Amino acid sequence: RRGRFAWILSIIMLVAYYGFILLIAFDPSFLGTPVSDGSITTFGIPVGMAIIFLSFILTGIYVVRANNEFDELNKEIVEEYSK
């Protein structure tokens, strides 16, 4: 279960990251467009920050689930086989 969950989170992160890279490759003008008229900030900055935040969120999700569910499963396995 842990491996499958880790793969799902990894795939989510890879899709987001490679989607960003493909956006840079095929539509760089979108990322260079200012967020609002007269703004220095372009769409590339919040999109890049969103990818960074997504990685933190996915890591947090994994850590919470690992501490709550996967550690308990490992403990049960160790107790069962240490008899």
Side-chain angles (χ1 to χ4, degrees), residues 1-17:
R1 287 200 295 184
R2 180 176 49 181
R4 183 177 28 180
F5 184 65
W7 273 107
I8 290 169
L9 295 180
S10 297
I11 289 169
I12 292 170
M13 193 65 232
L14 287 171
V15 166
Y17 179 73

Side-chain angles (χ1 to χ4, degrees), residues 20-57:
F20 180 66
I21 298 301
L22 290 173
L23 189 59
I24 291 170
F26 293 111
D27 195 10
S29 61
F30 170 74
L31 295 175
T33 305
V35 174
S36 63
D37 290 335
S39 174
I40 297 173
T41 304
T42 63
F43 280 112
I45 293 172
V47 171
M49 289 176 61
I51 291 174
I52 293 169
F53 289 137
L54 177 64
S55 68
F56 285 117
I57 290 167

Side-chain angles (χ1 to χ4, degrees), residues 33-79:
T33 305
V35 174
S36 63
D37 290 335
S39 174
I40 297 173
T41 304
T42 63
F43 280 112
I45 293 172
V47 171
M49 289 176 61
I51 291 174
I52 293 169
F53 289 137
L54 177 64
S55 68
F56 285 117
I57 290 167
L58 293 178
T59 301
I61 290 170
Y62 181 82
V63 167
V64 167
R65 188 160 178 199
N67 287 340
N68 292 332
E69 182 180 343
F70 301 139
D71 285 350
E72 189 63 36
L73 289 174
N74 285 341
K75 182 180 173 184
E76 290 173 9
I77 290 170
V78 168
E79 286 176 359

